[in-house]
């Protein structure tokens, strides 16, 4: 039996309809981690779906909980030989709210529906479809070779869509159980729908709030205009001291001192262009002198997520008494997240806005991570995918968005390689989430080939965490 046989088995799993049936069952479970009454569904996904499938592949499974986590986490392992490499897989079974009333007629977040060459359903892209691919690819290799040829561990969480509360603490507590040589997982989009992609980490994310409370209540703009300070005006100027008129970050501590040569070299092969159905890129926005790929994958972005003063839905002729804004920094390796809010405070005070209150938002923070693109395991994975697909994959030093990759890279000390099976136009987190089935099918082929190659015994040297 050969590599080609394993890939053919994975392809047959898809073409015969079995993969679709499994994914349809999983989509039907409304695992909305944001909803308190969904706890039973979060449990059911582990107990009735992923757990039994991994056990059927020879994994020993253990359901664990953490006081901060909304739902359970599953730790599974299959040890063939302690001398073999150990690969950790990861996925999340929770999804964002279904928003059923906003889906197109005939579509439902909780039913896998095929229409116009796409499969629709909540979680098809994020993340049920992606980890279902990877587990099915493990099965294809195991059934073809008789063994994986490596040790495999898997971690499934049910709270990623609410910031993965408890995941980092659990990884620290279960560090021995999750001990591995590297992590290979799938989430997020490809650089473009028609090109396989690897990404090696993620930008971090931290949100903070700015507030000015000038006085209680609002006051008539005719009687008091020109006499009372307007906190909305003041807050707008305070934000302008942080972000330039073309989106450039003006606080030095909120961006790296340089773009590493290995990152620049990797991104030179990863052009970011306008995608069909997506927004047009504004070429003059952001840090000057950087390419579009360098801006989103190699640099930081400071954005206003919300701005409120007065009564936005029903404006009245009154000077507001207070103003509020939430800002978010997406940051790369080289920026200290603990230093963000103090740096903002210092910068605003120096600019004459010491009266602006700056507080960290009450949400989970993601730390920035990045595996060096020159790491030999990156080249190994890229060659494997190219061998399967005939295309050289794009290699992104980190995803533009944020994932809990710091739990694996920093706490568990692992190399992290992500192989996404989605694309930017998939409508994840929105109505009509979908994927073209050919991406799912190709994902099965790629992962079967990659897992086969890892078990071939001709892998780069590894230093275990």
């Amino acid at each position: 039996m050969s590599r080609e046989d394993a890939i053919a088995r994975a392809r047959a799993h898809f073409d015969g309809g079995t993969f679709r049936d499994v994914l349809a069952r999983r989509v039907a479970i409304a695992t909305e981690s944001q909803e308190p009454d969904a706890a039973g569904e979060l449990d059911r996904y582990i107990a009735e779906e992923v757990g039994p499938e991994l056990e059927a592949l020879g994994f020993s499974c253990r359901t664990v909980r953490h006081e901060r986590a909304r739902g359970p986490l599953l730790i599974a392992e299959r040890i063939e030989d302690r001398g073999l490499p150990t690969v950790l897989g990861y996925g999340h079974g929770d999804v964002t709210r279904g928003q059923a009333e906003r889906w197109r007629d005939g579509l439902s977040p909780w039913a896998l529906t095929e229409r116009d060459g796409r499969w629709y359903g909540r979680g098809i892209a994020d993340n049920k479809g992606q980890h279902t691919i990877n587990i099915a690819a493990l099965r294809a290799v195991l059934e073809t070779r008789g063994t994986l040829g490596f040790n495999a561990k898997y971690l499934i969480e049910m709270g990623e869509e609410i910031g993965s509360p408890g995941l980092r603490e659990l990884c620290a507590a279960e560090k021995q159980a999750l001990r591995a040589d590297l992590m290979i997982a799938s989430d997020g989009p490809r650089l473009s729908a028609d090109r396989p992609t690897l990404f090696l980490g993620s930008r971090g994310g931290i949100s903070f709030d700015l507030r000015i409370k000038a006085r209680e209540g609002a006051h008539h703009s005719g009687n008091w205009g020109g006499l009372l300070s307007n906190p909305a005006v003041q807050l707008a100027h305070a934000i302008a001291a942080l972000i330039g008129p073309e989106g450039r970050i003006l606080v030095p501590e909120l961006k790296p001192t340089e773009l590493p040569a290995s990152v620049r070299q990797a991104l030179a092969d990863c052009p970011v262009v306008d995608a069909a159905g997506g927004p047009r890129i504004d070429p003059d926005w952001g840090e000057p002198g950087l390419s579009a790929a360098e801006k989103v994958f190699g640099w930081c972005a400071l954005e206003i997520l919300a701005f409120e003063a007065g009564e936005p839905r029903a404006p009245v002729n009154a000077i507001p008494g207070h103003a509020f804004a939430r800002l978010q920094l997406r940051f790369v390796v080289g920026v200290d997240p603990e230093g963000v809010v103090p740096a903002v405070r210092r910068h605003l005070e120096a600019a004459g806005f010491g009266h602006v209150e700056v507080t960290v938002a009450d949400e989970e923070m993601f730390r920035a991570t990045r595996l060096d693109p020159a790491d030999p395991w990156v080249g190994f994975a890229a060659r494997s995918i190219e061998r399967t697909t005939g295309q050289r994959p794009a290699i992104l030093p980190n995803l533009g968005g944020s994932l809990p990759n710091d739990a694996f890279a920093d706490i568990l000390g692992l190399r992290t390689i992500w192989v996404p099976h989605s694309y930017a136009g998939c409508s994840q987190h929105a109505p009509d989430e979908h994927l073209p089935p050919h991406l799912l099918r190709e994902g099965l082929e790629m992962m079967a080939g990659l897992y086969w190659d890892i078990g071939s015994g001709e892998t780069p040297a590894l230093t275990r965490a």
Side-chain angles (χ1 to χ4, degrees):
M1 304 298 274
S2 67
R3 184 182 196 272
E4 290 69 29
D5 292 325
I7 294 173
R9 187 182 292 271
R11 190 185 304 121
H13 178 70
F14 187 92
D15 294 345
T18 304
F19 178 86
R20 187 187 189 283
D21 293 343
V22 172
L23 185 54
R25 273 200 327 265
R26 294 177 180 177
V27 166
I29 304 175
T31 52
E32 302 166 290
S33 53
Q34 306 94 337
E35 300 294 342
D37 59 1
E41 297 296 83
L42 302 181
D43 288 351
R44 186 158 76 93
Y45 192 82
I46 293 291
E48 297 182 10
E49 279 297 327
V50 184
E53 182 180 25
L54 287 169
E55 287 176 344
L57 298 182
F59 284 76
S60 60
C61 296
R62 178 164 56 98
T63 300
V64 296
R65 297 181 185 274
H66 189 275
E67 60 184 4
R68 294 193 62 226
R70 180 69 56 84
L73 298 95
L74 179 72
I75 297 176
E77 70 171 13
R78 175 191 165 92
I79 304 299
E80 294 187 354
D81 187 324
R82 295 291 178 183
L84 293 174
T86 300
V87 178
L88 175 67
Y90 162 82
H92 65 90
D94 67 316
V95 297
T96 56
R97 289 185 175 91
Q99 303 172 295
E101 69 284 354
R102 296 177 56 197
W103 288 55
R104 284 189 287 157
D105 289 346
L107 299 179
S108 165
W110 315 122
L112 193 159
T113 305
E114 186 167 3
R115 180 185 292 181
D116 301 326
R118 294 173 169 179
W119 288 3
Y120 289 85
R122 179 62 84 218
I124 279 180
D126 188 18
N127 173 258
K128 292 177 179 178
Q130 301 216 38
H131 65 253
T132 297
I133 284 173
N134 292 1
I135 295 172
L138 286 173
R139 176 187 292 276
V141 171
L142 183 59
E143 291 179 347
T144 302
R145 181 185 268 144
T147 65
L148 291 175
F150 58 91
N151 304 314
K153 297 184 179 182
Y154 230 98
L155 175 63
I156 299 287
E157 70 159 320
M158 302 301 296
E160 193 271 350
E161 298 294 1
I162 53 173
S164 298
L167 176 65
R168 294 160 182 83
E169 294 87 344
L170 183 130
C171 283
E174 298 281 355
K175 191 169 184 177
Q176 184 60 34
L178 296 171
R179 187 169 180 253
D181 294 299
L182 77 158
M183 187 190 80
I184 295 177
S186 299
D187 203 345
R190 292 176 167 196
L191 179 66
S192 61
D194 59 355
R195 187 179 183 190
T197 299
L198 300 176
F199 65 87
L200 313 179
S202 64
R203 284 202 292 190
I206 180 171
S207 298
F208 58 91
D209 298 335
L210 304 181
R211 287 184 177 86
I212 298 177
K213 186 172 183 180
R215 61 192 66 86
E216 294 294 335
H219 295 271
H220 192 282
S221 58
N223 296 335
W224 296 97
L227 299 176
L228 298 181
S229 64
N230 189 316
V233 173
Q234 291 180 320
L235 190 57
H237 282 279
I239 293 173
L242 304 176
I243 311 170
E246 295 178 344
R248 185 179 186 181
I249 299 173
L250 303 179
V251 186
E253 296 92 335
L254 272 57
K255 54 187 179 180
T257 57
E258 64 175 355
L259 190 66
S262 61
V263 172
R264 189 181 294 275
Q265 181 178 358
L267 293 177
D269 186 44
C270 300
V272 176
V273 298
D274 294 327
R280 291 183 62 83
I281 295 171
D282 295 313
D284 297 326
W285 187 261
E287 185 72 17
L290 299 183
S291 69
E294 290 166 349
K295 289 176 182 178
V296 74
F297 301 121
W299 208 251
C300 303
L302 181 59
E303 305 290 352
I304 302 171
L305 302 185
F307 192 117
E308 184 176 73
E311 299 294 335
R313 295 183 181 275
V316 297
N317 297 323
I319 300 168
H322 62 86
F324 162 87
R326 173 159 293 182
L327 278 68
Q328 183 185 68
L329 178 70
R330 296 281 185 170
F331 61 94
V332 296
V333 171
V335 174
D336 174 17
E338 275 79 21
V340 167
V341 167
V344 170
R345 289 194 185 112
R346 290 192 302 270
H347 193 84
L348 289 178
E349 186 170 354
F353 297 104
H355 60 295
V356 177
E357 179 185 354
V358 187
T359 56
V360 177
D362 185 21
E363 59 183 40
E364 204 78 10
M365 178 184 70
F366 290 92
R367 294 180 178 273
T369 56
R370 178 193 291 152
L371 176 63
D372 188 342
D375 186 278
W377 266 90
V378 176
F380 176 88
R383 289 189 297 274
S384 172
I385 289 173
E386 184 173 5
R387 181 180 176 188
T388 300
T389 66
Q391 295 188 78
R392 184 173 63 179
I395 299 175
L396 304 177
N398 49 259
L399 189 67
S402 298
L403 289 167
N405 196 55
D406 57 296
F408 315 116
D410 297 340
I411 296 174
L412 298 180
L414 300 178
R415 291 174 169 86
T416 56
I417 297 175
W418 296 77
V419 188
H421 307 312
S422 182
Y423 79 113
C426 69
S427 298
Q428 68 182 85
H429 294 194
D432 302 341
E433 180 178 345
H434 67 274
L435 280 181
H438 75 84
L439 284 186
L440 297 163
R441 187 176 188 267
E442 185 175 65
L444 269 169
E445 294 172 335
M446 288 193 309
M447 297 308 294
L450 179 55
Y451 289 140
W452 181 275
D453 292 341
I454 293 172
S456 69
E458 299 178 0
T459 57
L462 284 167
T463 301
R464 185 166 297 180

